[in-house]
Amino acid sequence: VNKNSSIIESTQDYIHTHTLLNMGDTVIIGVSGGPDSVALTQILNELKFALGLHLHIAHFNHGLRKEAAQEQHFVEILARDLNIPFSFGKSVENAHTAQGSTEEIARHQRFRFLIKTARATNADKIALAHHADDLAETVIMRLIRGSGLQGLRAIQPFTRIENIPFIRPLLCIPKEQILSFLEDNKRTYCVDRTNEKTDFFRNQVRHELIPLLARTYNPNIKSVLANAARNMACDYDYLDKEAQAKYQQWAKTKAGHPGIHFSLNELKQCHTAVQRQIFRKTIAGLKGNTRKITFSHMNEIENLIQVRPANSIVHLPDAISVHKTKTELLFTKQSGSRGPNEKQG
Amino acid sequence: VNKNSSIIESTQDYIHTHTLLNMGDTVIIGVSGGPDSVALTQILNELKFALGLHLHIAHFNHGLRKEAAQEQHFVEILARDLNIPFSFGKSVENAHTAQGSTEEIARHQRFRFLIKTARATNADKIALAHHADDLAETVIMRLIRGSGLQGLRAIQPFTRIENIPFIRPLLCIPKEQILSFLEDNKRTYCVDRTNEKTDFFRNQVRHELIPLLARTYNPNIKSVLANAARNMACDYDYLDKEAQAKYQQWAKTKAGHPGIHFSLNELKQCHTAVQRQIFRKTIAGLKGNTRKITFSHMNEIENLIQVRPANSIVHLPDAISVHKTKTELLFTKQSGSRGPNEKQG
C-alpha cells in the first residue's frame, strides 16, 4: 500500500468535486518553500499524468527576511528536482507608494506576480496551498472581527481575481496530514518564522485559541469550523446568485447622472437579505470593495428606504452616498476619491 | 432626565422594529426571579400604558433547588407589588418517563407550563428575558459545537412554539445595562447559583471564553457576535422562505405509499442551498426535528441524487431513510420509532 495514497486521493476527490482542474490545464503553483506549498507541489506532481497537467512553479521573493535568498534557492532546487518550470519575482521598491500594512503590500505584490506569471505562461489556473486548518482559523478570525455570511465562508476552493481562477486543492486536508505526508516522503521545506511574527492575530488563533477550544470544548473544533464555512459558502452562493440576477435587472446608470439608480418599488419587492446583497454589490462597484461597510451601514440604508422622507441622504465610508428621491435610491461616489480599480488583490 | 429612559426606549424601539407587540396584547411574562426576568417585568410594566398591554406573570417552580420556594415567593411579591396577575406551575413527578438531561426536562416542563398559562389566559404572547449577552454566547456555543446558518441565528426576537408567539424584547440589551437598570431602580432579584452548575458549557463560555476573546482579540466581541447572529437570521429567513415555497410545491405524499416524495428533476432545478433546506424540512416533518442530522448526512443525500444509481438508499439517524428511484427521491421513517410530535419544546 502506498502510504501517500490517502492525501493524494483526498486531494483528487476534492479537485473533482469542486471541478478545480480540467484535463490538460496549465497550472501555476504559488510556492513559498514552506511545508504547505511544498506538499501541494509534490501532490500535483503526482497527479500530473492522471490529470494531464502542465505545472509551473512561481516563487515570490518578498525580500523581507534575510532567509529570502535561501528560500528562493530552495524552491528553484525543488523545481529542478521535479523537472517543473520555475519563475520567480522580487518585491519592488515603490512599496512606499502603496497603501496598507507591510503584510498587505507584500500580499498584493505576490498576487500581482502570480497573475503576471499566469498571463505570461497562458496558464489556466493558479494553485495555492491553503489547507483545512487555515480555513478553520479564518472562520474564527472573521467571526471575532465581525463578519456575516460572506466573510464566514473564509477561504474558498475556487475564486477568480481579475478573471484568473485561483484554486486551493488542499483546502480539505488538515495541516497534520500535510506534515506526515512530507515526513513520509522525506521532503524538506523551509520554516518561516517571520510569518509567526507578522501575522500576530492568526498565530494567536492558531497556537492559543484553537488549541484552547479543542481542549476545553470540542476536540473536533477544526473540522466543525471548516464545515460551517463550507455550509455558509453554499448558502452565500445562493443568496449572491439571486441578488446578482436582481442587480443586473434593476441597477441603472443614466446619461449625465453619475452613480447607480434603483427604483424604490423594485427594491421593496425583494427580501431584506437580497436587498443588502444588492447594496454590497453596488458599493463594491463604486469603490472597488466593501471594506469599512458595517452592519450598521446596512441598517441605515434600510431605514432610509423604509422610514425616512424623500431627499434624505446616508453617507457611507470612502465618499459613498445614498440618496433617496421620491421614486429612486441613488448610490454615488464623490469624485476625486479613489476609483474602483486602484487597489485590489 | 429619567435615568431609566435609555433601556426602556431601546426596548420599545426593538419591540416596534420587530413588531413584537401589538396595541392591547395580553402578555405572559416568564419570570424566574433572576435579574433578567425582573428587569423585563419592570420594563414591560413601564410600557404598559403606552402599548395598552395586559400583563400576566408566570413562574415555574422546578423544585430542583432548595431556594425554589423562596424564589416563587419572591416573584409572587413582585407581581403583587406591580399589581400584575400571577400564576405558578410546579415540576411534575413523572420526569423519569421523559427523555433528556435534567436541564432539558426542566426546560420542557417550563415551556409546557408557559403555553398552558397562555392558553388559559387567552394571551397573545409569551415574553422571555433573553438579552444581547445570551445571544452572543449562544452564537459562539453553536459555532463550537457545529452549526450552519440556521443554528448561528442563535436566539431570535420572535418565534412560535405550537403556534404561540414567544417574544424576547430584551434581546438588544446588554446584560450590563440590565444590571445597572436594576441597581438604579433598587430592584432586588434572586441569584440563581444552580444555573451556573447545571449549564456548564454556557457558564464557561460566559465567564471564561468571552472575557478572553474581549481581552485578547476584540473588546466589542459581544456586539460583533450579536450582529453576526442578526445578519444570519436575515439571510436564513430568505433561504427558508424560498425553500418553503418549493417544499409546498414539490413535496408529495401518495395514498398507500408512506413518506414524502420529490421528483428528482424538480429537485435538481434548485440550488444546493435550497435543496438542503428542503431536506431539513422533510426530515423535520418526519421525525419532529433535525437533531443528529449533520453536514455529512446532507452530503450523502446530495451524493445520492447526483452520483449513485437508482435504488440506492441513504440511512439517517432516528430511522429516516432516503431512497432514490429512477425518477424520485423518497424520504421515509421506519414505523415503530418515535413519531414527530412526541418530543418537542
Side-chain angles (χ1 to χ4, degrees):
Chain A
V1 179
N2 178 349
K3 54 185 173 175
N4 294 335
S5 63
S6 142
I7 193 170
I8 291 169
E9 276 172 20
S10 302
T11 307
Q12 191 169 8
D13 283 354
Y14 192 72
I15 288 169
H16 178 74
T17 308
H18 294 268
T19 328
L20 300 186
L21 290 170
N22 298 317
M23 193 59 84
D25 270 353
T26 296
V27 183
I28 306 291
I29 316 174
V31 182
S32 67
D36 310 337
S37 59
V38 169
L40 176 62
T41 305
Q42 171 89 30
I43 291 166
L44 289 180
N45 194 57
E46 305 250 359
L47 293 171
K48 185 160 68 174
F49 296 110
L51 302 175
L53 302 179
H54 305 280
L55 300 178
H56 187 110
I57 288 177
H59 173 80
F60 188 70
N61 183 333
H62 289 295
L64 291 173
R65 287 169 288 124
K66 55 174 194 276
E67 301 88 352
Q70 289 163 35
E71 284 169 9
Q72 183 182 320
H73 185 67
F74 174 88
V75 177
E76 207 166 347
I77 300 288
L78 174 72
R80 199 181 304 161
D81 215 45
L82 299 173
N83 199 22
I84 299 175
F86 170 78
S87 301
F88 72 94
K90 275 208 162 154
S91 178
V92 284
E93 286 305 314
N94 68 353
H96 63 278
T97 62
Q99 290 184 314
S101 67
T102 313
E103 192 68 3
E104 273 171 9
I105 295 163
R107 185 170 172 276
H108 180 68
Q109 291 193 341
R110 188 164 56 91
F111 267 91
R112 296 253 45 92
F113 163 69
L114 289 171
I115 289 169
K116 207 183 77 186
T117 311
R119 292 208 171 114
T121 57
N122 217 357
D124 301 289
K125 310 275 160 70
I126 296 171
L128 300 176
H130 296 92
H131 49 69
D133 288 35
D134 291 325
L135 178 59
E137 288 159 12
T138 308
V139 176
I140 203 120
M141 286 165 71
R142 295 274 173 89
L143 188 76
I144 288 171
R145 284 192 165 158
S147 202
L149 197 54
Q150 181 176 22
L152 293 175
R153 297 175 305 162
I155 306 174
Q156 296 175 269
F158 188 100
T159 50
R160 275 178 197 276
I161 297 177
E162 298 183 17
N163 215 29
I164 300 216
F166 280 71
I167 62 168
R168 294 170 179 88
L170 300 187
L171 206 55
C172 62
I173 309 288
K175 174 80 176 190
E176 211 179 5
Q177 207 181 341
I178 290 175
L179 293 176
S180 22
F181 170 74
L182 291 167
E183 202 179 320
D184 291 349
N185 286 273
K186 304 198 180 1
R187 270 273 161 222
T188 55
Y189 50 84
C190 307
V191 179
D192 179 354
R193 302 218 175 278
T194 323
N195 193 20
E196 308 205 345
K197 286 175 206 149
T198 51
D199 199 345
F200 183 72
F201 182 34
R202 181 174 294 275
N203 278 289
Q204 270 208 317
V205 167
R206 179 177 301 167
H207 297 300
E208 293 175 26
L209 183 56
I210 290 192
L212 168 84
L213 294 175
R215 219 163 44 232
T216 317
Y217 301 105
N218 186 347
N220 299 318
I221 188 73
K222 287 195 270 191
S223 66
V224 146
L225 292 173
N227 280 340
R230 290 178 194 123
N231 247 326
M232 287 193 275
C234 176
D235 295 335
Y236 177 82
D237 185 70
Y238 172 63
L239 175 66
D240 188 56
K241 284 202 168 92
E242 298 291 310
Q244 180 62 27
K246 296 293 183 205
Y247 181 86
Q248 283 177 338
Q249 197 182 333
W250 292 343
K252 302 273 183 269
T253 52
K254 289 183 185 173
H257 291 270
I260 298 170
H261 302 250
F262 293 93
S263 140
L264 284 171
N265 280 340
E266 282 177 341
L267 279 180
K268 283 179 185 167
Q269 279 170 34
C270 71
H271 194 279
T272 309
V274 179
Q275 276 184 18
R276 288 183 190 175
Q277 187 63 7
I278 291 173
F279 300 155
R280 278 186 220 108
K281 284 179 179 298
T282 309
I283 294 164
L286 290 170
K287 82 181 192 81
N289 56 55
T290 54
R291 264 175 271 173
K292 302 185 221 162
I293 303 298
T294 66
F295 184 71
S296 316
H297 295 128
M298 287 294 146
N299 283 346
E300 277 185 71
I301 303 175
E302 271 155 46
N303 193 49
L304 178 69
I305 295 180
Q306 282 167 19
V307 179
R308 295 178 59 192
N311 299 319
S312 300
I313 299 182
V314 165
H315 293 284
L316 301 179
D318 294 336
I320 301 290
S321 305
V322 192
H323 298 240
K324 179 182 183 173
T325 70
K326 277 190 185 164
T327 57
E328 286 195 323
L329 200 66
L330 167 61
F331 289 75
T332 48
K333 181 167 163 50
Q334 201 187 302
S335 59
S337 32
R338 214 165 67 201
N341 292 314
E342 289 173 39
K343 186 151 181 264
Q344 278 186 344
Chain B
V1 179
N2 179 348
K3 55 183 173 177
N4 293 337
S5 63
S6 144
I7 193 171
I8 291 170
E9 277 172 20
S10 302
T11 307
Q12 191 169 9
D13 282 353
Y14 192 72
I15 288 170
H16 178 73
T17 308
H18 294 269
T19 330
L20 300 185
L21 290 169
N22 298 316
M23 193 58 85
D25 270 354
T26 296
V27 183
I28 306 291
I29 315 174
V31 182
S32 67
D36 310 337
S37 60
V38 169
L40 176 63
T41 305
Q42 171 91 31
I43 291 166
L44 289 181
N45 195 57
E46 305 251 357
L47 293 171
K48 185 159 68 173
F49 295 110
L51 302 175
L53 303 178
H54 305 279
L55 300 177
H56 187 111
I57 287 176
H59 173 80
F60 188 69
N61 184 332
H62 288 297
L64 291 173
R65 287 168 289 123
K66 56 175 193 275
E67 301 87 351
Q70 288 161 36
E71 285 168 9
Q72 182 182 323
H73 185 66
F74 174 88
V75 177
E76 205 166 346
I77 300 289
L78 175 72
R80 200 183 302 160
D81 215 43
L82 299 173
N83 201 21
I84 300 175
F86 170 78
S87 301
F88 71 95
K90 275 208 162 156
S91 178
V92 284
E93 285 304 315
N94 68 353
H96 64 278
T97 62
Q99 290 184 315
S101 67
T102 312
E103 192 68 2
E104 274 171 8
I105 295 163
R107 185 170 172 277
H108 179 69
Q109 291 193 340
R110 188 165 57 91
F111 267 91
R112 295 254 43 94
F113 163 68
L114 288 172
I115 289 170
K116 208 183 77 186
T117 310
R119 292 207 171 115
T121 56
N122 217 356
D124 301 288
K125 311 276 160 67
I126 295 171
L128 299 177
H130 296 91
H131 49 69
D133 288 32
D134 291 325
L135 177 59
E137 288 158 13
T138 308
V139 176
I140 203 119
M141 288 165 71
R142 294 274 173 88
L143 188 76
I144 288 171
R145 285 192 165 157
S147 201
L149 198 55
Q150 182 175 22
L152 293 175
R153 298 176 302 163
I155 306 173
Q156 297 174 267
F158 189 101
T159 51
R160 276 178 196 276
I161 297 176
E162 297 182 18
N163 216 27
I164 299 213
F166 280 72
I167 61 168
R168 293 168 179 91
L170 300 187
L171 205 55
C172 61
I173 309 288
K175 176 79 176 192
E176 212 179 3
Q177 205 182 343
I178 290 175
L179 293 177
S180 19
F181 170 75
L182 291 167
E183 201 179 321
D184 291 347
N185 286 271
K186 303 197 174 13
R187 268 276 160 219
T188 55
Y189 49 84
C190 307
V191 179
D192 180 351
R193 303 220 173 277
T194 323
N195 193 20
E196 309 206 345
K197 286 175 206 150
T198 50
D199 199 345
F200 183 72
F201 183 34
R202 180 174 293 276
N203 278 289
Q204 271 207 316
V205 168
R206 179 176 300 168
H207 298 298
E208 292 175 26
L209 184 57
I210 289 191
L212 169 83
L213 294 174
R215 217 162 46 230
T216 318
Y217 301 104
N218 186 348
N220 299 318
I221 188 72
K222 285 195 271 192
S223 66
V224 146
L225 292 172
N227 280 341
R230 289 179 194 123
N231 248 325
M232 288 195 273
C234 177
D235 295 335
Y236 177 83
D237 185 70
Y238 172 64
L239 175 67
D240 189 56
K241 284 201 167 91
E242 298 292 309
Q244 180 62 29
K246 297 292 183 205
Y247 181 87
Q248 281 176 338
Q249 196 182 334
W250 292 344
K252 302 272 185 270
T253 52
K254 290 183 182 174
H257 291 269
I260 297 169
H261 302 249
F262 294 92
S263 142
L264 283 172
N265 281 339
E266 282 178 339
L267 279 181
K268 282 176 185 170
Q269 280 169 33
C270 71
H271 193 281
T272 309
V274 180
Q275 276 183 19
R276 289 183 189 174
Q277 186 64 6
I278 290 172
F279 301 154
R280 278 186 221 107
K281 285 181 179 297
T282 308
I283 294 164
L286 289 169
K287 82 182 193 77
N289 56 56
T290 54
R291 263 175 271 176
K292 301 187 223 163
I293 303 298
T294 65
F295 185 70
S296 318
H297 295 127
M298 287 293 147
N299 283 345
E300 277 184 71
I301 303 175
E302 272 155 45
N303 193 49
L304 178 69
I305 295 180
Q306 282 168 20
V307 180
R308 296 178 60 190
N311 298 320
S312 301
I313 300 181
V314 164
H315 293 285
L316 301 178
D318 295 335
I320 301 290
S321 306
V322 192
H323 297 239
K324 179 183 183 172
T325 71
K326 278 187 185 165
T327 56
E328 287 195 321
L329 199 68
L330 167 61
F331 288 76
T332 47
K333 181 165 165 46
Q334 199 187 303
S335 58
S337 33
R338 212 165 69 203
N341 293 315
E342 289 174 37
K343 188 155 181 259
Q344 280 184 342

